[in-house]
Amino acid sequence: MAETDRSSPDGDDLAGLLPEHSLLSLEQYLDMQRAIGNETRFRILHYLTEKGAHSAKELEQGLNLPSNTLHYHLDALIDVGLVENRKRKTPDCEGLYSYYQATSLGEGILEHGVRELMREEWDLLDAYHD
């Protein structure tokens, strides 16, 4: 299997960071990283990945956030593709409503970004306390 050149680029040469035909641009990846860097947005995305899809009302209650704050941060997560807003096709006991769920990109950036760093810290603490 041939290896691609992924050496650390200098400050001006970022060409080797992404595949030639990458689905997302560097700016889009950075926008996702900026979005997840906000604690409220991190909490929302974490909640959705751990507990599954929820309506806005359920998120307000589960995260103890005011509606306007929740919607502001949900919009930011939707804009960068980490969360999606879906509409139920058939009514349930509460009627039709929309719900929010983490996208595969949202799950990926959470799992292979912040959570991975947190796991590494736990591993280091365990190694030094044994």
Side-chain angles (χ1 to χ4, degrees), residues 34 43-44 66 80 115 117 119:
R34 280 188 286 274
R43 287 179 56 223
I44 292 168
V80 298
R115 285 183 181 165
L117 290 171
R119 274 193 304 273

Side-chain angles (χ1 to χ4, degrees), residues 2-18:
E3 286 189 36
T4 58
D5 181 19
R6 294 185 195 175
S7 60
S8 297
D10 62 29
D12 293 329
D13 181 22
L14 300 175
L17 289 177
L18 295 172

Side-chain angles (χ1 to χ4, degrees), residues 32-88:
M32 286 183 222
Q33 194 64 43
R34 280 188 286 274
I36 194 82
N38 174 279
E39 183 179 346
T40 300
R41 291 191 285 270
F42 173 83
R43 287 179 56 223
I44 292 168
L45 187 58
H46 175 75
Y47 191 89
L48 290 172
T49 59
E50 292 296 311
K51 300 190 183 282
H54 280 71
S55 70
K57 185 55 87 180
E58 292 167 336
L59 287 170
E60 287 174 32
Q61 294 169 349
L63 293 166
N64 195 26
L65 289 172
S67 178
N68 60 337
T69 300
L70 174 68
H71 285 284
Y72 172 80
H73 290 291
L74 278 171
D75 288 345
L77 291 167
I78 290 167
D79 286 347
V80 298
L82 300 178
V83 169
E84 62 185 347
N85 182 357
R86 307 288 299 239
K87 306 274 190 252
R88 291 202 188 274

Side-chain angles (χ1 to χ4, degrees), residues 98-117:
S98 66
Y99 60 95
Y100 297 89
Q101 65 185 33
T103 64
S104 58
L105 284 171
E107 291 174 2
I109 198 168
L110 195 62
E111 185 61 30
H112 301 290
V114 178
R115 285 183 181 165
E116 192 168 309
L117 290 171

